[in-house]
């Protein structure tokens, strides 16, 4: 199948939404009414508001939800789903309610843009597409509003076609996710959460569970035990819904002992999606090993990228598998160290108190990799740009004092990097963007 053809977007979902749907069906929660809210925590680029968009495509998607015979055949071939559940999917359609902000409405952090009221399986299955289309299109609409505002009444035309993430990125953004999963697989990932990428391209789809699964049950232990009973050979439990070390890991161990051990199954896992990943995974590893579950794998997720992964591994994190989402599928780094500073005040702004964006390119780990590359390929100098403070609001601003040309960001250690470079026979060349700044 070519992605340029008309796609049945029902299968554009995270694989764990299907496994949880099967779990709800088998556990008697099929008709349990749930509420899901779509909201965001921070306005992109330090702006004051965002613009809601994507609702039209969400409605079209929901009205056309169905599982084709090819979809059912694919799911049956995974040998994970009961025939009763597959029969249920053959006649599946959405019966819930959607409450949403009209497109074009200014929206603010932590207020619901979309509210879904539906039966558990229905609400779970539309989660991915809802987030994908609302997030992607609202991001573009918000950026456009900023550009139009900056134009101060002058006309603005959209010329982004040749730089869009795939042929339909400007319409739905869905194919960008599908092709993105394929590209990530080519780049070296072990698999994807994107079910339709497995169906079309054979990129192995897999998943664990969501916090919604844990919250559906009367107790965390009941959620874990039920999941182990339904998926004894694919039991990876999300342990951070309440308290990772005081309840999550102990309840996971209990479920493994009571369900998997009597069956002679040793393959299992846990996942952490929040908190101090380095510390929590070390402690979780210690607890699992002490309980005799040395074979249990530990996965980590939550806004990870290459820099954060490198940092937590340096802190001796015990992680066997990383789940990397938006910071890989969008493939972007930038010069700015933080999004907390909409307007830099040189000599006043304290970067040590700011939250790193995780996308700053000129950091210690990244520069060391380029130093290693330069040394291995016969270069004697390396130019570094974006190391000095002030990049947060330089572009498009008329300011005399934009950059500080001698003060590095907190994640750029000049002395240590200079010593590292000299040890490799490399001289560092520090580039300064002036932006007409005279300080």
């Amino acid at each position: 199948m070519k992605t340029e053809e008309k796609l049945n977007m029902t299968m554009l979902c995270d694989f764990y939404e299907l496994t949880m749907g099967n779990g709800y069906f088998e556990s008697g929660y099929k008709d349990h009414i749930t509420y899901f809210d779509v909201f965001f925590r921070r306005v992109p680029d330090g702006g004051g508001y965002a613009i809601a968009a994507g609702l039209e495509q969400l409605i079209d998607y929901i009205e056309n939800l169905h599982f084709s015979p090819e979809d059912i055949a694919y799911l049956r071939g995974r040998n994970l789903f009961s025939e009763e559940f597959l029969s249920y999917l053959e006649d599946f359609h959405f019966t819930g309610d959607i409450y949403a902000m009209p497109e074009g409405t200014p929206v603010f952090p932590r207020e619901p843009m979309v509210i879904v009221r539906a039966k558990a399986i229905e609400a779970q299955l539309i989660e991915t597409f809802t987030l994908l289309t609302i997030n992607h299109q609202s991001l573009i609409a918000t950026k456009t509003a900023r550009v139009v505002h900056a134009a101060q009444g002058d006309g603005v035309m959209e010329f982004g076609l040749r730089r869009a993430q795939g042929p339909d990125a400007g319409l739905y953004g869905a194919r960008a996710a599908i092709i993105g999963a394929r590209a990530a697989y080519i780049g070296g990932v072990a698999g994807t959460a994107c079910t339709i990428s497995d169906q079309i391209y054979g990129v192995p789809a897999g998943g664990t569970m969501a916090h919604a699964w844990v919250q559906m049950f009367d107790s965390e232990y009941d959620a874990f035990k039920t999941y182990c009973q339904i998926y004894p050979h694919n039991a990876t439990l999300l342990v951070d819904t309440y308290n990772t070390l005081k309840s999550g890991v102990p309840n996971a161990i209990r479920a493994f002992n009571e369900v998997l051990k009597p069956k002679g199954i040793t393959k299992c896992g846990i996942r952490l999606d929040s908190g101090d990943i380095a510390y929590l995974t070390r402690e979780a590893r210690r607890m699992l090993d002490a309980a005799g579950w040395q074979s249990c794998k530990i996965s980590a997720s939550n806004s990870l990228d290459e820099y954060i992964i490198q940092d937590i591994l340096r802190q001796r994190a015990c992680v066997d598998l990383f789940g990397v989402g938006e910071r890989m599928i969008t493939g972007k780094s930038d010069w700015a160290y933080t999004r907390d500073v909409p307007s830099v005040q040189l000599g006043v702004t304290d970067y040590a108190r700011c939250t790193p964006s995780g996308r700053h390119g000129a950091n210690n780990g990244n520069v060391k990799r380029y130093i290693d590359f330069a040394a291995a390929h016969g270069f004697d100098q390396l130019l570094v740009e974006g190391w000095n403070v002030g990049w947060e609001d330089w572009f498009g601003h008329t300011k005399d004092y934009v950059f500080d040309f001698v003060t590095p960001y907190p994640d750029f250690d000049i002395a240590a990097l200079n010593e590292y470079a000299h040890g490799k026979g490399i001289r560092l060349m520090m580039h300064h963007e002036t932006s007409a700044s005279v300080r």
Side-chain angles (χ1 to χ4, degrees), residues 55-83:
L55 181 60
E56 180 179 342
Q57 282 70 42
L58 176 59
I59 293 171
D60 179 70
Y61 160 78
I62 288 174
E63 289 179 339
N64 290 282
L65 274 176
H66 70 282
F67 288 86
S68 70
E70 292 79 11
D71 297 334
I72 299 299
Y74 160 76
L75 294 174
R76 181 174 287 114
R78 293 303 304 266
N79 297 318
L80 287 171
F81 306 102
S82 69
E83 284 300 318

Side-chain angles (χ1 to χ4, degrees), residues 307 310-311 314 360-375 380-388 407-431:
Y307 311 118
Q310 185 179 61
D311 287 344
R314 284 174 176 165
H360 180 224
N363 62 69
N364 294 326
N366 210 19
V367 172
K368 283 185 177 182
R369 283 195 294 274
Y370 280 100
I371 292 171
D372 293 341
F373 179 88
D380 56 12
Q381 292 190 59
L382 176 69
L383 183 147
V384 182
E385 181 177 23
W387 62 275
N388 57 304
T407 304
Y409 282 120
D411 62 351
F412 189 88
D413 189 329
I414 289 181
L417 288 171
N418 192 48
E419 181 179 355
Y420 185 83
H422 283 184
K424 301 270 186 171
I426 301 295
R427 296 175 60 193
L428 292 182
M429 181 187 306
M430 315 307 286
H431 173 78

Side-chain angles (χ1 to χ4, degrees), residues 158-390:
E158 188 275 309
F159 278 3
L161 176 60
R162 64 187 62 191
R163 292 175 177 83
Q165 294 175 313
D168 269 3
L171 297 178
Y172 286 84
R175 288 182 172 87
I178 301 168
I179 297 296
R182 176 181 180 273
Y185 190 55
I186 293 172
V189 301
T192 177
C194 183
T195 307
I196 201 169
S197 293
D198 185 357
Q199 185 182 24
I200 295 174
Y201 295 119
V203 181
T208 58
M209 63 171 59
H211 295 103
W213 172 271
V214 179
Q215 293 172 308
M216 182 67 67
F217 292 80
D218 291 336
S219 72
E220 185 178 51
Y221 168 70
D222 289 336
F224 289 172
K225 180 180 179 181
T226 303
Y227 198 87
C228 287
Q229 289 171 335
I230 297 172
Y231 302 110
H233 296 286
N234 294 275
T236 299
L237 309 179
L238 182 59
V239 296
D240 70 339
T241 301
Y242 303 116
N243 188 302
T244 298
L245 301 182
K246 291 184 178 180
S247 67
V249 176
N251 280 327
I253 292 172
R254 181 183 171 191
F256 293 154
N257 286 338
E258 295 184 8
V259 179
L260 302 188
K261 184 175 286 186
K263 298 177 183 291
I265 297 172
T266 59
K267 179 184 175 183
C268 59
I270 63 170
R271 177 167 72 94
L272 287 84
D273 191 50
S274 63
D276 184 339
I277 297 295
Y279 168 74
L280 292 173
T281 56
R282 289 198 305 268
E283 289 300 300
R285 181 77 274 163
R286 180 184 61 78
M287 295 166 69
L288 289 165
D289 290 351
W293 287 99
Q294 293 86 350
S295 59
C296 181
K297 302 295 185 182
I298 299 178
S299 305
S301 52
N302 186 19
S303 296
L304 300 176
D305 62 16
E306 66 271 35
Y307 311 118
I308 296 174
I309 289 173
Q310 185 179 61
D311 287 344
I312 66 176
L313 288 178
R314 284 174 176 165
Q315 298 174 55
R316 296 180 293 108
C318 297
V319 181
D320 301 294
L321 176 69
F322 291 100
V324 183
E326 77 277 6
R327 295 185 180 179
M328 182 164 62
I329 206 69
T330 57
K332 183 175 177 62
S333 295
D334 61 28
W335 290 295
Y337 171 73
T338 182
R339 295 298 183 197
D340 290 350
V341 186
S343 180
V344 175
Q345 294 178 281
L346 296 180
V348 177
T349 300
D350 184 359
Y351 283 94
R353 301 181 63 143
C354 295
T355 302
S357 68
R359 297 167 67 173
H360 180 224
N363 62 69
N364 294 326
N366 210 19
V367 172
K368 283 185 177 182
R369 283 195 294 274
Y370 280 100
I371 292 171
D372 293 341
F373 179 88
H377 292 83
F379 294 93
D380 56 12
Q381 292 190 59
L382 176 69
L383 183 147
V384 182
E385 181 177 23
W387 62 275
N388 57 304
V389 300

